[in-house]
Amino acid sequence: MATLVVSVAPAVAAAPERITFGNVTCAPSWTPPNPGRDTFLVVNQSTRTATVYLFRADSGRIVSTLTDLKSGSSRRVTVMLSSGPYAWGCDLQGYPRHVSEADKVGNHRQVGGTGPVVVPILVGELVGPLDAYRQYAAAKIGTLVTQVATLQSAVSGSDLGSAESDWLTAHETWLELGQDDGAYGAFGELGRQIDGTAAGLVGGASSPQFTGFHKVELDLWTRDDFADARTNVAQLASLVGSLARLRLSAVLPTTKLGLSNWTLRCHEVLEDALRDSLTGEDDYGSHTDLDSITADVSVTRYLLGLLAPLLNPRAPHLVGAARRQLTYLDDVIAATPDDGVAIAALPQITRERIDAATDAVLETLAPVPDLLRIGTS
Amino acid sequence: MSLDRRQFLRRSGLGAASVSAGLLGTAGAADARAAGQGAHVPEVTLQSDGPELLNQLGGPAARLAAVPFHGLHQAGILTGPPPAACFAAFDVVAERRADLQEMLRALTDAARLLTAGGVPPALGTGAPPSDSGTLGPVIPADGLTVTVAVGHSLFDDRYGLTAQRPRHLTPMRSFPNDDLDLAQTGGDLLLQICAGSPDTAIHALRYIAKHTRGAMQIRWRLDGFIAPPRPAGAPRNHLGFKDGIANPDVQDPRIADRLLWLVDGIGEPGWATGGTYHVCRIIKTLVEFWDRVSLIEQQRMIGRYRDTGAPIGTDSETAIPDYRTDPHGRRIPLSAHIRLANPRAASTEESRIYRRGYNYDAGIDLNGNLNMGLIFNSFQQNIRRQFEATQLRLVGEPMVDYVTPVGGGYFFALPGVRDRSDWYGRGLLAAT
C-alpha cells in the first residue's frame, strides 16, 4: 500500500571520522561535528608511538587523551563536544609536539531551548525484541505462502467467491507482518512488488511493474478477468516464495540502523494505514480497507508489546494509553455496519470516528522512535 | 464554433479603440488618483523581497506598484514573488487555429490592461458592468503579473503547431514517489497569476476567464500564498522550514542566459528564444505525519535548522554548506534534501533550477487530514538537464514519506510581449 520503495537507503549511518597523524602531519582537514556526543577514529600513520590530545583551542582544556598509540594502529574515542573551537595535538616520541588547525564546532543554539533529554538506549537492549519479531515474521511468512497457494488454486478453478475470500485472508496475513511498503519496510523493492500500488509507475495500473496483491485484486473485483488473475497470482506466489527465502537476520539486522528502522514500524504501520487505506487510495475494488486496518492494529499491538519493557521506564503512560486507543479503534471498526463498502461510501460520521481513533493513537505513538533512539556505546 | 476577437471584446464592452488606449484613465493608480477616484493608494516598488515589503507597510490599503508588462521576457519570473498567486491550467477548446490566435490576443489585451490598472469602462444601462467590481471602482495594479505558458498538448495536430514544439516540452513524467491525479495534471495552457493580495489575483483570473470564454476551459486550478518572513529572511513552508533560500542569481544576465532563458543556438525553435520552461508541481505535504516527527529527524531530512534556516553546522540561512569537508555526512546527512537537491559541486552546477514556489491550502482529504502543500515552480532552460536531473537525485530521499506530488505539468512560458502591437504567442503562430 503506498508509494514506492526505492534504492537509496533512507538513513545512512555515518562512519566515524578518521583523524590521521603522520610524522609531520596532524589531523589535516579534519571536520568538527555538530555539538553533542561524537566518535572519532584516531589513526597513527607515523613511524613512532604517539600520545594524542583533543583540546579546546580557546581555553586549552584537554577534552580527551589517547596514550601509547602504536605506529600503524588506530583507536576510537568518543567525546562530548559543546560549541566552540577545537584542535588536535600529537606528541610523537622524538619529535616536537605538533598541533592541527583549530576548527569550530557549530554554535547553533535552538530557540526556546532543547527541552528535556531522554537517555538513549543501547543496541543490546533491542536485540531480544528484534529476535522475537523475526520468529513472529518467519511464522507469518510460512502462513502467507500456504494462503497464497490456496488463493492460487481457487483462481485456477475460476471460483470467484473462494478466490476473493482467500485473497483477503492472505492479504491480512501480509499486513500482519507490519512491513507493508513504507520507505522503511524491511523487504525493500520486494515489499513494493508484493503490495505496492500503481502510484508513481509510468502507465499506472497497466505498468508491468504493477504486481502483487493489488494487481490480483484489480483482476478479481474490478476486471473480472480470470486469465489475467492466473498469471498475476502465479507472480504473487513467486514473490512470496522469494520472501520466504530471505534471511531475516540479513534484512532485519541488529545494527544501529537496522534496529532504528525496525522500531519505526511501531507507528509507521498505522501512518501508512492513515495515508493509504483511510483515503481509499490502495483500494483496487475489494473495499477491504477496514480489514486492512484491523490487521495493522494487530501488528502494532504486537510490536508495542515487544517494546513495552523499554518504553515503560521512559514514558510510563504511553503503552497503556496506546493499547486502550488501539482497542477503541478495533471497536469502532467492528461497530461499522457497512462491510465491503469503499471508504468514500461510508457515512461521514462513521469515517470521522475511524479517522479520529486512528489519529489519536498515532499521536500517542509518535514519540516511540525518539524514546528508543539508540546511543553510541 | 467560430470566435473572433471582436466577439470577446464586445462581451467586455471594449471596442478596438478602448483596447488600444487601455482601461479608461489608462496608466494605473496614479492616473486614477489624478481623476479624483478613491483614496490615496501608497505606491511601492515590487522587489525580490515583496512579502517583507508588504509586511512593513501593513494594512489593507498597501498596494504594490505596476510591474511593466512589455519586455523580452514575461513578467512573473525574474520579478520576486508577491504574496498571492493563482495557478490555473486550461484546456483550449477553440476549434480552429484562427480562434486560438484570437483567444491569445484577447488574453494579451486583458493581461495588459489588468497589470496596468485603471478605471474599467462604464457600459451604461444596456449591459452588465464590464468588470466584476471586486477590487473597487479603480482596479489597482497591485504588482499583478500574468505569466502564460503552454503545454505539450497544444502542439498536437489541432492547430498545426507540431513542428514548432519546444524540444524538451513533453508530458510531465511520473517520478517514483509521485501519485499523479490526471484531473490535476497537464493542460494546454497555464496561467500563473501573481499579485499583492489574493483578491487581486482572483479578480484577474475571473476577468481573463470572462474575456476568453468559449475558447478555453479551466482544467484545474489552485491558489497559493507566500507567508511573510517569520521572523526574518526566506519565507517558511508548511513544514515550518525556510524554503527557496538557495536560488541561483538569475538577476545576473550571464547566469540567466545559462540556466533560465532559451537563447539562440541551443537547438530550440527560433520563436522560443526569450521563453523558459516552467515546471509546475502540486506537492502535497502530509503535515499531520510530519508534525509527529522529532525536530532532530526533521532537521536531518532537510539539512537545515528549523528555527534559523541555517544549514546544519552553520549560523546563518545564507551560509554555504561546505560538503567537501563533510564527505561522510556527519554534519549534513548525505540524504538530506538540501544536499541531494544542490550538491554544490561543479558537476551539478548546470542542473541548477530557479524556484518560485507558493504554499497552498485547499481543504481536507477523505481521511480528514489537511490538504496543503507546495505549488512548486521551477523555471529553467532545459527540463531534462536541470529539473529532471535534480528530481532524480531526490528519488528515495527520506522526505518522500511526508510529501506526495499529486499534479501539475511541464509547460513552456512564452517569450515576452514586446510592445503594444505584440501578443502572446505571436512568434509561435507566425513561425508555422
Side-chain angles (χ1 to χ4, degrees):
Chain A
M1 321 170 18
T3 47
L4 280 180
V5 177
V6 281
S7 53
V8 177
V12 181
E17 177 166 347
R18 285 165 62 88
I19 302 295
T20 58
F21 296 88
N23 285 345
V24 290
T25 58
C26 179
S29 68
W30 76 286
T31 317
N34 300 316
R37 199 179 170 82
D38 216 304
T39 302
F40 298 95
L41 184 67
V42 180
V43 185
N44 183 359
Q45 297 176 335
S46 78
T47 53
R48 309 294 175 101
T49 297
T51 300
V52 177
Y53 313 92
L54 176 63
F55 62 97
R56 282 287 293 226
D58 47 0
S59 65
R61 184 174 66 83
I62 291 175
V63 179
S64 183
T65 309
L66 289 174
T67 54
D68 203 26
L69 188 65
K70 297 278 188 288
S71 168
S73 71
S74 60
R75 204 181 298 166
R76 278 170 187 253
V77 55
T78 297
V79 288
M80 185 64 92
L81 302 171
S82 53
S83 59
Y86 287 83
W88 295 86
C90 177
D91 292 336
L92 299 178
Q93 287 168 7
Y95 283 83
R97 169 174 296 184
H98 49 287
V99 174
S100 78
E101 285 184 18
D103 211 335
K104 202 170 95 177
V105 169
N107 59 354
H108 179 258
R109 200 172 298 157
Q110 195 176 307
V111 175
T114 53
V117 175
V118 174
V119 183
I121 69 170
L122 302 176
V123 165
E125 294 180 271
L126 276 168
V127 169
L130 179 64
D131 197 50
Y133 171 74
R134 283 185 193 147
Q135 291 173 36
Y136 164 94
K140 288 281 175 202
I141 292 171
T143 307
L144 181 64
V145 169
T146 311
Q147 289 171 344
V148 169
T150 309
L151 166 64
Q152 196 170 7
S153 65
V155 170
S156 306
S158 300
D159 178 351
L160 186 62
S162 300
E164 289 183 347
S165 130
D166 293 343
W167 180 92
L168 179 58
T169 307
H171 191 236
E172 285 175 332
T173 300
W174 159 260
L175 292 174
E176 283 164 8
L177 271 169
Q179 296 290 344
D180 43 13
D181 65 351
Y184 299 94
F187 307 137
E189 175 65 9
L190 182 58
R192 187 201 66 77
Q193 292 170 333
I194 292 174
D195 200 35
T197 67
L201 298 178
V202 176
S206 49
S207 163
Q209 287 173 280
F210 178 44
T211 56
F213 275 107
H214 294 301
K215 181 78 172 235
V216 175
E217 178 186 8
L218 189 66
D219 293 336
L220 293 180
W221 271 274
T222 305
R223 298 179 54 228
D224 247 348
D225 187 335
F226 268 103
D228 274 4
R230 275 184 207 106
T231 311
N232 292 320
V233 84
Q235 193 174 19
L236 174 62
S238 151
L239 290 166
V240 168
S242 303
L243 183 66
R245 286 191 297 278
L246 285 181
R247 268 183 42 239
L248 291 182
S249 56
V251 293
L252 291 158
T254 50
T255 58
K256 186 174 164 181
L257 181 63
L259 290 164
S260 304
N261 286 343
W262 175 64
T263 57
L264 284 175
R265 302 313 303 168
C266 192
H267 78 292
E268 285 201 335
V269 169
L270 281 175
E271 290 282 5
D272 284 353
L274 173 64
R275 185 187 56 191
D276 304 324
S277 299
L278 288 175
T279 54
E281 278 174 18
D282 62 358
D283 185 354
Y284 283 80
S286 71
H287 304 335
T288 55
D289 276 317
L290 294 185
D291 302 284
S292 299
I293 308 258
T294 303
D296 292 332
V297 167
S298 150
V299 64
T300 301
R301 188 182 282 119
Y302 171 74
L303 291 168
L304 197 60
L306 288 181
L307 298 171
L310 296 170
L311 292 169
N312 287 336
R314 291 170 172 82
H317 305 294
L318 187 150
V319 174
R323 280 185 171 139
R324 280 191 299 280
Q325 289 169 321
L326 288 170
T327 302
Y328 178 69
L329 175 53
D330 266 343
D331 292 347
V332 170
I333 289 176
T336 303
D338 309 82
D339 214 18
V341 169
I343 294 293
L346 289 171
Q348 179 159 355
I349 187 66
T350 304
R351 217 169 51 228
E352 286 170 352
R353 287 207 175 96
I354 297 168
D355 292 339
T358 308
D359 291 344
V361 70
L362 280 171
E363 293 293 339
T364 303
L365 292 174
V368 167
D370 306 318
L371 293 169
L372 301 183
R373 188 177 301 282
I374 301 167
T376 312
S377 55
Chain B
M1 180 193 65
S2 170
L3 294 163
D4 67 31
R5 185 163 165 244
R6 274 185 307 243
Q7 199 175 339
F8 290 127
L9 299 175
R10 263 200 307 278
R11 256 181 245 146
S12 67
L14 297 173
S18 63
V19 168
S20 60
L23 291 174
L24 299 183
T26 60
D31 293 60
R33 283 202 302 279
Q37 299 280 347
H40 174 68
V41 182
E43 289 279 341
V44 294
T45 306
L46 184 67
Q47 294 171 350
S48 59
D49 50 354
E52 193 163 22
L53 216 50
L54 193 76
N55 205 33
Q56 286 164 6
L57 284 166
R63 293 287 183 218
L64 301 177
V67 176
F69 178 70
H70 296 123
L72 290 178
H73 312 296
Q74 286 193 70
I77 299 169
L78 284 182
T79 38
C86 174
F87 291 82
F90 293 78
D91 286 329
V92 177
V93 292
E95 293 208 348
R96 301 176 317 165
R97 184 184 171 111
D99 301 333
L100 169 67
Q101 176 164 330
E102 290 311 311
M103 185 273 281
L104 288 169
R105 297 188 68 157
L107 176 60
T108 310
D109 290 340
R112 186 184 280 125
L113 301 181
L114 291 167
T115 54
V119 183
L123 300 187
T125 54
S130 65
D131 180 69
S132 63
T134 58
L135 298 183
V138 184
I139 298 173
D142 197 18
L144 179 75
T145 57
V146 177
T147 312
V148 179
V150 292
H152 168 267
S153 51
L154 192 70
F155 295 87
D156 62 14
D157 53 11
R158 281 175 294 167
Y159 306 113
L161 299 174
T162 313
Q164 295 303 325
R165 181 172 59 84
R167 215 157 42 106
H168 295 282
L169 188 61
T170 61
M172 183 168 74
R173 56 162 288 185
S174 182
F175 292 88
N177 309 114
D178 290 3
D179 190 4
L180 300 179
D181 168 12
L182 290 180
Q184 293 183 87
T185 304
D188 291 328
L189 189 140
L190 177 73
L191 293 187
Q192 174 195 263
I193 302 172
C194 302
S197 61
D199 60 340
T200 310
I202 290 164
H203 170 268
L205 175 66
R206 190 165 157 186
Y207 187 97
I208 287 169
K210 177 183 176 73
H211 294 283
T212 53
R213 206 86 77 194
M216 63 180 191
Q217 279 293 106
I218 300 179
R219 177 182 172 87
W220 56 264
R221 65 168 283 235
L222 197 54
D223 292 340
F225 69 93
I226 293 182
R230 304 288 189 194
R236 293 180 188 271
N237 58 25
H238 289 305
L239 302 177
F241 281 76
K242 294 185 177 183
D243 202 354
I245 296 170
N247 257 335
D249 179 15
V250 290
Q251 304 299 333
D252 178 340
R254 286 166 307 177
I255 294 176
D257 282 348
R258 191 163 56 78
L259 296 177
L260 181 58
W261 306 120
L262 268 67
V263 293
D264 292 334
I266 58 172
E268 293 279 11
W271 71 266
T273 293
T276 177
Y277 289 99
H278 180 179
V279 173
C280 177
R281 309 239 306 157
I282 304 170
I283 304 176
K284 182 187 286 190
T285 48
L286 307 179
V287 294
E288 288 84 357
F289 189 12
W290 180 256
D291 290 345
R292 289 190 279 262
V293 176
S294 77
L295 185 60
I296 293 174
E297 282 306 312
Q298 289 185 3
Q299 293 180 159
R300 286 174 57 83
M301 281 191 257
I302 302 285
R304 294 182 182 274
Y305 297 119
R306 192 176 73 167
D307 51 5
T308 61
I312 295 173
T314 70
D315 41 25
S316 101
E317 72 178 64
T318 53
I320 310 276
D322 185 357
Y323 297 131
R324 287 166 309 172
T325 63
D326 184 21
H328 303 296
R330 289 158 53 80
R331 264 191 270 200
I332 299 183
L334 301 179
S335 60
H337 181 78
I338 65 164
R339 191 161 184 167
L340 291 172
N342 182 4
R344 312 244 179 203
S347 60
T348 54
E349 182 60 26
E350 290 304 302
S351 69
R352 294 189 68 190
I353 53 177
Y354 167 61
R355 288 168 300 148
R356 202 173 180 278
Y358 278 84
N359 294 337
Y360 75 84
D361 175 21
I364 57 167
D365 284 335
L366 186 64
N367 63 1
N369 281 357
L370 300 173
N371 177 13
M372 45 173 57
L374 172 70
I375 307 172
F376 169 96
N377 296 287
S378 74
F379 295 92
Q380 54 268 301
Q381 187 182 68
N382 182 321
I383 289 185
R384 184 170 294 180
R385 185 189 90 210
Q386 294 169 269
F387 169 73
E388 289 191 350
T390 303
Q391 189 60 33
L392 289 170
R393 286 198 298 271
L394 293 169
V395 168
E397 64 171 331
M399 241 178 77
V400 299
D401 260 16
Y402 306 91
V403 298
T404 306
V406 295
Y410 289 170
F411 298 92
F412 181 74
L414 299 169
V417 174
R418 303 287 181 97
D419 51 42
R420 299 205 69 83
S421 64
D422 196 6
W423 39 278
Y424 293 124
R426 184 184 52 80
L428 165 62
L429 284 152
T432 314

